[in-house]
Amino acid sequence: MVTIARKCPNLQVVVVDLNEARIAAWNSETLPIYEPGLDEIVKECRGRNLFFSTNVQQAIEDADIIFASVNTPTKQKGIGAGRAADLRFIENVGRDIAKWSTRSKIVIEKSTVPVKTAEALSRVLTAHEYVASDGCERKFYILSNPEFLAEGTAMKDLDKPDRVLIGGQQKEAVDVLADIYASWVPREKILTTNLWSSELSKLVANAMLAQRVSSINSIARLCERTGADVNEVSRAVGTDTRIGPKFLNASVGFGGSCFQKDILNLVYICEQFGLHEVAAYWQQVVDMNEAQKTAFASRIIQSLFNTVTRKKIAVFGFAFKKDTGDVRETAALTVCQMLMQDGADIHAYDPKVKIEDAIQEFKYHGIEVDEKQFHLVPTPAEAANGAHAIVVLTEWDEFKTLPYAEFYGSMMKPAFLFDGRNILDHDAIEKIGFEVHALGKSRAQGYPKIN
């Protein structure tokens, strides 16, 4: 919405939410989320043609176009629990639109939703369509317009998207939205489909990206046993133009609000249609991701003489990726939980994560955290001081240039470093004195590196 406000100054954009504290934050100098470039654009447009409000009724009454951008989490109970999407929020949006609309509207699904959600939304809305006594119609036109964004580069992705996808059954409504995007997106990058193809495309895009991550992580495990280097394998494979290099970096595992949720949703949909082999195929992507996280945590414990009880572990990074404070489904959760279960004292540093967000994510997954075991500290030096090991779990750029020699001097010996993102110069850090464990690399390969 912020990008539309900036690119289309002739349009008035109103963002509404029932959460008063969240809207107050959007109207303040400190925005409720961190995303590079977002702060500048909000301050440029806010008060001009971009507004944040809790008056949902007024916004619906005034709007010609309504974007439904509510959360669609995985169901926690009932039929499909743990896999199916919880659509109560999108249904509530439909009922509010029907309740407060006094004229025709274009309603756009922006949330990631299962196939046929538009059909359910349409049923809620069309049940409230009518022709007034003066001949005026109230009709609702449903469109699907999924986002293909990555946290940390979202503003760049919106400014120069690979494509914009619009799904709809009524051409006139599709054309209205296409014209808005055409203010800054070339027409050839604006793709139009039917509603169902648009809804499914978002799930499939995330599933296939996650599949690449799990695929290279599975090969990283093999590299550790054979003496191969996963970085060299990735480079060799990625130079094949049919494959390409993106999402071929071995890691401790993918996280975030989309990948796992969308794959599990895809699995559930396949099972509902009796496609059990297809469901099992995509389930394996999630299973491999979980296996990668537990294998990494197990490797830490085994390397530290098979116990981390009462040992201080410095964790660098808690967000699921760099350039965001988002901790939803972060790989750090599983790793830290396993270390704490074995008795470790975790001192984590992340430049954007707040302690309350980290604790809330633990609680969301049913994990009770002993505050004596989990600490979020203000500097990496404080985390490393007196630690037995440094564990890198987020690929923040600043971690590449930290003074590891100074950290080494303040740590217990032998000092260990586990790079869960393969972002550090391992040879240089080993020369300092660390015992380095990297993903997809055995510790003694016996062959010279070839550049």
Side-chain angles (χ1 to χ4, degrees), residues 187-257:
R187 285 281 182 178
E188 62 270 18
K189 290 190 175 184
I190 301 175
L191 311 180
T192 59
T193 67
N194 66 41
L195 274 169
W196 329 129
S197 296
S198 178
E199 289 177 332
L200 185 57
S201 294
K202 172 62 174 179
L203 295 181
V204 173
N206 281 341
M208 296 192 77
L209 291 173
Q211 179 194 48
R212 287 173 69 95
V213 176
S214 284
S215 293
I216 198 63
N217 282 342
S218 70
I219 299 304
R221 300 276 295 279
L222 180 61
C223 289
E224 291 166 9
R225 302 296 178 90
T226 62
D229 184 329
V230 72
N231 290 341
E232 294 176 353
V233 173
S234 294
R235 183 177 64 175
V237 171
T239 52
D240 187 326
T241 55
R242 298 169 299 174
I243 299 173
K246 293 184 177 180
F247 284 79
L248 287 182
N249 295 319
S251 69
V252 67
F254 60 75
S257 64

Side-chain angles (χ1 to χ4, degrees), residues 141-391:
Y141 303 90
I142 313 299
L143 300 179
S144 169
N145 177 219
E147 291 287 11
F148 297 96
L149 305 176
E151 289 189 52
T153 59
M155 304 314 295
K156 293 179 181 178
D157 296 340
L158 286 166
D159 189 53
K160 295 182 179 179
D162 291 334
R163 78 290 200 196
V164 170
L165 182 61
I166 304 172
Q169 307 302 89
Q170 297 94 0
K171 184 178 184 300
E172 60 270 29
V174 171
D175 288 344
V176 169
L177 184 56
D179 287 343
I180 292 174
Y181 280 112
S183 299
W184 77 96
V185 180
R187 285 281 182 178
E188 62 270 18
K189 290 190 175 184
I190 301 175
L191 311 180
T192 59
T193 67
N194 66 41
L195 274 169
W196 329 129
S197 296
S198 178
E199 289 177 332
L200 185 57
S201 294
K202 172 62 174 179
L203 295 181
V204 173
N206 281 341
M208 296 192 77
L209 291 173
Q211 179 194 48
R212 287 173 69 95
V213 176
S214 284
S215 293
I216 198 63
N217 282 342
S218 70
I219 299 304
R221 300 276 295 279
L222 180 61
C223 289
E224 291 166 9
R225 302 296 178 90
T226 62
D229 184 329
V230 72
N231 290 341
E232 294 176 353
V233 173
S234 294
R235 183 177 64 175
V237 171
T239 52
D240 187 326
T241 55
R242 298 169 299 174
I243 299 173
K246 293 184 177 180
F247 284 79
L248 287 182
N249 295 319
S251 69
V252 67
F254 60 75
S257 64
C258 292
F259 279 9
Q260 178 165 305
K261 173 175 73 73
D262 290 354
I263 296 172
L264 292 175
N265 197 345
L266 186 62
V267 169
Y268 182 71
I269 292 169
C270 291
E271 289 180 343
Q272 293 302 294
F273 285 101
L275 302 172
H276 302 296
E277 298 87 356
V278 180
Y281 175 84
W282 289 109
Q283 179 65 49
Q284 187 60 32
V285 174
V286 175
D287 293 346
M288 181 64 228
N289 193 56
E290 291 302 310
Q292 180 74 346
K293 291 183 283 188
T294 57
F296 186 73
S298 296
R299 185 177 181 184
I300 296 170
I301 296 169
Q302 291 167 5
S303 299
L304 269 66
F305 314 109
N306 219 35
T307 181
V308 290
T309 300
R310 296 182 182 177
K311 292 179 181 178
K312 179 179 179 180
I313 306 296
V315 170
F316 286 3
F318 198 85
F320 85 91
K321 63 180 290 187
K322 71 174 184 177
D323 293 332
T324 181
D326 194 343
V327 299
R328 289 175 292 180
E329 304 296 340
T330 176
L333 198 76
T334 299
V335 174
C336 289
Q337 179 196 17
M338 288 184 63
L339 294 177
M340 288 188 291
Q341 283 179 333
D342 202 70
D345 183 16
I346 302 294
H347 288 248
Y349 165 76
D350 191 290
K352 293 298 177 182
V353 171
K354 300 174 183 177
I355 183 66
E356 56 267 28
D357 292 335
I359 297 298
Q360 181 59 39
E361 185 65 11
F362 277 115
K363 289 182 177 178
Y364 178 78
H365 289 273
I367 303 169
E368 289 298 322
V369 178
D370 185 344
E371 294 182 6
K372 295 179 180 179
Q373 276 190 284
F374 184 82
H375 316 267
L376 200 63
V377 298
T379 66
E382 183 175 337
N385 185 37
H388 288 256
I390 293 173
V391 180

